[in-house]
Amino acid sequence: MLYLVHDDDGRITQSNRVFDPTGYDKLLHDENYKFVKLDVSTVLPLDSHYIVGSEVVPRGRMSLRVTKRRFKADGLDAAVIKNLPVPCEVTISVGEGVVDRQTATDRDLELSSATPGVFKVLIEKFPFLPWTAEFEAV
Amino acid sequence: MRINLDVLSSVKEQAETQINRRFSRPADNAVEYSAKREAARDYLRLGIEAPELAAEAELMGVSVENLARAILAKTDVALQRGLERRRAVLAVRNAKSKAEIDAVLATLGPEMPI
């Protein structure tokens, strides 16, 4: 039996395959966990689905549009990510380090840089799958 | 919403952190050489003979004074490492591209496991 433990938003936090489920429901109830159980023999990846009511639903993709991935490093030219599902979390990283993190409230996000380099943008808005892309200022 | 980045500065900050981390742990031989230099200076200036210095001189078959002079004649490893670190940090700060920064980091060689 597969037990999918989830939070109030339906985000799956644990995917547990239980071979002897006797007493397991009570254990989860006693600990105030919300869960859905499936009679399947596989384990579901935590990030690919979420729970709506008692249904396991695939997480959809954001329908974003990007004007360009490379732009001039002059502080003026910009790449634009359009149609953000606002509000959403935007994280920008360079190499291993996060350089900017904020909540976007506009549907268009313009990205510019005064100096050259490659950076990565991560956009998160549950229940959509996270979206990530690399951009380069040249 | 517009986000204005300074990508190269971010790369430089990370490279500088990487350099400082690399040099924050003194090499074992740097610690050893610093201790030996101190013992050699104490002997030549104050006449204080550290037992380890005397033992090493005996092992090498030289006088304590000659050993002390030989130690001080060598380059100070700790100072040399400090100079290397400073040189790398300044090279990163003056770099005009990520490729230049990568070239500086490549001169440091692979990071030693802790």
Side-chain angles (χ1 to χ4, degrees):
Chain A
M1 188 72 73
L2 181 67
Y3 283 76
L4 300 174
V5 178
H6 61 90
D7 64 14
D8 291 340
D9 297 326
R11 191 180 279 108
I12 298 171
T13 55
Q14 292 179 43
S15 175
N16 302 329
R17 195 171 167 203
V18 181
F19 293 96
D20 180 9
T22 311
Y24 197 67
D25 289 31
K26 184 178 182 313
L27 180 74
L28 293 176
H29 280 304
D30 289 350
E31 295 293 330
N32 287 323
Y33 281 118
K34 295 179 176 61
F35 64 93
V36 167
K37 53 184 181 180
L38 301 174
D39 191 9
V40 293
S41 57
T42 55
V43 174
L44 202 65
L46 295 180
D47 298 331
S48 61
H49 291 68
Y50 71 117
I51 308 297
V52 180
S54 58
E55 296 293 313
V56 182
V57 180
R59 292 173 67 183
R61 295 185 185 283
M62 297 178 211
S63 53
L64 304 179
R65 281 183 291 119
V66 176
T67 55
K68 54 186 168 186
R69 296 286 177 94
R70 296 180 86 197
F71 56 91
K72 286 182 197 162
D74 59 4
L76 300 171
D77 193 18
V80 185
I81 305 173
K82 291 177 169 289
N83 204 30
L84 296 180
V86 291
C88 61
E89 297 306 311
V90 177
T91 305
I92 297 175
S93 52
V94 175
E96 300 299 312
V98 171
V99 296
D100 198 301
R101 177 177 284 153
Q102 52 184 291
T103 302
T105 51
D106 295 342
R107 292 182 71 81
D108 287 356
L109 172 62
E110 292 181 34
L111 301 160
S112 61
S113 176
T115 54
V118 175
F119 62 95
K120 198 176 280 185
V121 176
L122 167 68
I123 296 174
E124 294 171 292
K125 170 73 173 183
F126 192 80
F128 292 112
L129 289 165
W131 181 92
T132 187
E134 207 167 75
F135 292 82
E136 185 176 16
V138 291
Chain B
M1 185 171 90
R2 187 181 183 102
I3 296 178
N4 289 303
L5 302 165
D6 184 351
V7 181
L8 192 60
S9 291
S10 301
V11 174
K12 286 182 179 183
E13 279 174 28
Q14 287 177 36
E16 208 168 309
T17 303
Q18 196 174 330
I19 291 166
N20 287 329
R21 192 174 60 225
R22 177 73 58 87
F23 284 93
S24 66
R25 202 165 56 98
D28 290 342
N29 60 356
V31 175
E32 179 190 332
Y33 285 135
S34 290
K36 283 173 85 167
R37 289 178 71 82
E38 199 175 330
R41 259 194 303 268
D42 283 351
Y43 179 77
L44 292 175
R45 287 181 190 165
L46 307 171
I48 301 170
E49 188 179 290
E52 293 82 2
L53 195 67
E56 184 172 339
E58 193 180 336
L59 276 175
M60 294 175 69
V62 297
S63 68
V64 177
E65 182 176 342
N66 281 347
L67 177 60
R69 291 191 189 286
I71 289 168
L72 289 179
K74 287 183 181 174
T75 308
D76 187 320
V77 177
L79 281 178
Q80 195 179 23
R81 277 176 62 79
L83 178 64
E84 276 176 40
R85 188 191 68 79
R86 196 74 193 135
R87 191 176 280 145
V89 165
L90 289 176
V92 162
R93 285 183 188 170
N94 293 328
K96 299 281 186 288
S97 68
K98 187 174 183 302
E100 284 182 33
I101 294 168
D102 288 343
V104 174
L105 295 178
T107 63
L108 302 179
E111 195 158 2
M112 298 296 287
I114 294 172

